[in-house]
Amino acid sequence: MRILVLGGTRFLGRAVARLAHDRGYDVTCAARSVSGAPPAGPRFVPVDRDDPDGLAALDGGWFDAVVDVTRRVDHARYALDTLADRVGHWVFVSSVSVYADHSVPGRSVADTPLLPPAPDGVDGPGPDFRFYGECKVSIERAVLDRVGPDRAFVCRAGLIVGPEDTSDRFPYWVRRLADGGEVLAPGRPDEPVQWVDVEDLAAWLLHGATTRLGGTFDGTGPARGMAEVLAGIAAGVGRPDPRLTWVDGGFLRARDVRPWSGDRSLPLWVGGDPADAGFLARDVTDALAAGLTVRPVGASARATLDWMTSTPEAVRPGGLGRAVEAEVLREWHAERDG
């Protein structure tokens, strides 16, 4: 089995390339190698899809499957024009950010409206990921138009977690719960959270490539309540029975505590906005039936902590600082006890 990974130098792409090599496949990673290095084992071919001849080094070869994670519309179209006739199956990693409406929990691929394609002249996301979802919509259309639905597996990935995740979303909670003490937990204990471990997603992408799975699916696990998720992370990092103090979302917003990611944020929390009620609560029945398997969140937390400990400089600092957390908790207790 010959697998081409367009990328393969960071997070999901690296996980796909590493797993495919470990399974004995003939793996080629094609990338600029600007954002990282490919894993040991796969053949690496330097390419630059900004160059009109950037994929020339791949000329003449046949691949049983391609896995592409790009967010650039021009890069996707260039790869399709160059490689589609020499590829058996095309796997494209899209995103749940393609959806135009996240307000309804329990929606599926079949019944959720999409954003429009990227406007003319927009080939990639701008600052703050503007047009990210629209670019992914454009790429999905290009893939399906060029290779057809029977030869294409479009995976709309959700929140991806696990080792080599350099964001501050899942790593924030791994670090914070491992530290112990009283932990500020946002919103309601039953607010939904959805995620997929990078190794589980990589395995499913390879399953789709090798079985020629066709269709469009959401690539994420079943939704779980925030309390269950935080308890699972805590258990995974050796802190069972965490001291969680649940603080009302309105109270947090009034103190400029932000949702999802970045400074002063509590990641995995979408802020209680009704417009986002379904963002982390999608129906993934069809993905599970198509072979996606998900590990317990504690296993992801344990592996992430091991990686963070070995490479402490790799994770982007973010989330709610400990001093701010302590102050918000003091105010919350004072208001409730006063």
Side-chain angles (χ1 to χ4, degrees):
M1 184 85 181
R2 296 197 69 206
I3 301 284
L4 172 63
V5 181
L6 292 173
T9 60
R10 61 181 296 179
F11 201 29
L12 178 59
R14 276 177 56 88
V16 170
R18 183 168 51 240
L19 181 59
H21 178 264
D22 290 347
R23 290 183 175 181
Y25 301 147
D26 181 348
V27 184
T28 298
C29 295
R32 291 181 299 169
S33 195
V34 171
S35 58
R43 181 169 70 107
F44 176 69
V45 177
V47 302
D48 184 352
R49 283 191 266 181
D50 287 329
D51 183 337
D53 296 318
L55 295 177
L58 300 173
D59 282 354
W62 167 265
F63 297 96
D64 296 290
V66 163
V67 179
D68 193 3
V69 301
T70 188
R71 64 187 64 171
R72 288 280 300 273
V73 180
D74 53 342
H75 286 185
R77 288 176 175 156
Y78 178 28
L80 288 161
D81 289 344
T82 305
L83 300 170
D85 294 333
R86 297 189 283 118
V87 168
H89 206 67
W90 203 280
V91 179
F92 172 59
V93 182
S94 186
S95 167
V96 294
S97 294
V98 298
Y99 295 119
D101 184 356
H102 296 284
S103 65
V104 182
R107 273 184 166 170
S108 68
V109 168
D111 61 7
T112 313
L114 296 178
L115 292 167
D120 291 342
V122 173
D123 280 323
D128 299 323
F129 281 77
R130 188 177 183 216
F131 295 124
Y132 174 75
E134 290 88 345
C135 287
K136 288 289 192 178
V137 170
S138 293
I139 299 171
E140 287 188 15
R141 290 189 178 185
V143 170
L144 294 171
D145 288 347
R146 183 64 178 84
V147 304
D150 293 336
R151 289 178 52 211
F153 169 26
V154 175
C155 170
R156 293 173 179 162
L159 174 64
I160 308 172
V161 308
E164 300 187 14
D165 174 11
T166 59
S167 78
D168 59 358
R169 293 173 299 190
F170 192 70
Y172 169 83
W173 288 110
V174 170
R175 178 174 55 245
R176 181 63 193 89
L177 289 161
D179 287 346
E182 184 183 17
V183 177
L184 195 165
R188 304 187 320 273
D190 63 347
E191 287 191 41
V193 179
Q194 234 171 350
W195 73 95
V196 64
D197 187 276
V198 65
E199 299 292 338
D200 292 335
L201 186 56
W204 191 43
L205 296 176
L206 287 177
H207 170 75
T210 57
T211 63
R212 297 186 181 277
L213 175 65
T216 301
F217 301 85
D218 286 335
T220 191
R224 298 286 185 262
M226 179 71 85
E228 179 182 343
V229 173
L230 296 185
I233 294 172
V237 299
R239 292 281 189 174
D241 302 319
R243 293 174 53 204
L244 303 178
T245 296
W246 295 93
V247 178
D248 177 75
F251 185 92
L252 295 173
R253 290 190 295 273
R255 285 149 184 81
D256 194 29
V257 177
R258 304 162 191 170
W260 194 241
S261 182
D263 293 338
R264 294 186 65 92
S265 72
L266 287 170
L268 306 188
W269 176 54
V270 295
D273 188 339
D276 292 323
F279 181 62
L280 297 177
R282 296 194 56 76
D283 178 358
V284 293
T285 304
D286 58 347
L288 299 175
L292 175 64
T293 61
V294 293
R295 68 193 64 195
V297 70
S300 299
R302 188 160 49 250
T304 301
L305 180 61
D306 289 344
W307 170 73
M308 292 170 66
T309 301
S310 65
T311 55
E313 74 290 347
V315 178
R316 181 178 71 227
L320 198 63
R322 293 297 292 274
V324 176
E325 179 191 27
E327 178 60 27
V328 173
L329 284 170
R330 280 193 296 270
E331 293 181 9
W332 175 252
H333 288 306
E335 181 173 295
R336 288 172 62 86
D337 298 341

